[in-house]
Amino acid sequence: MNPNRPTRPAGRTARIRRTRRWIARRRTALASSALRGAAYATGAGIVGLGFYQQQL
């Protein structure tokens, strides 16, 4: 450890650790939601295309 560098208080280190965990959890939820949205959009597009081709 560098003696010239000030150390962080324990509370601040814990807060940073909690914040990083919270962001990691939200990142997973966001990726899951985006994947689900893409699946719904793909399905709706395929159904819409099928109906459109029947009208031709």
Side-chain angles (χ1 to χ4, degrees):
M1 184 178 217
N2 187 351
N4 295 330
R5 184 175 172 198
T7 59
R8 293 186 197 145
R12 185 172 178 201
T13 303
R15 188 175 355 142
I16 291 171
R17 190 176 303 127
R18 280 195 315 265
T19 303
R20 285 184 178 169
R21 282 191 207 141
W22 184 84
I23 289 171
R25 283 194 310 266
R26 295 294 160 213
R27 188 179 304 138
T28 303
L30 181 62
S32 173
S33 180
L35 182 61
R36 187 177 346 144
Y40 283 137
T42 302
I46 290 170
V47 169
L49 187 60
F51 277 110
Y52 178 74
Q53 287 184 352
Q54 284 182 354
Q55 299 296 324
L56 293 178

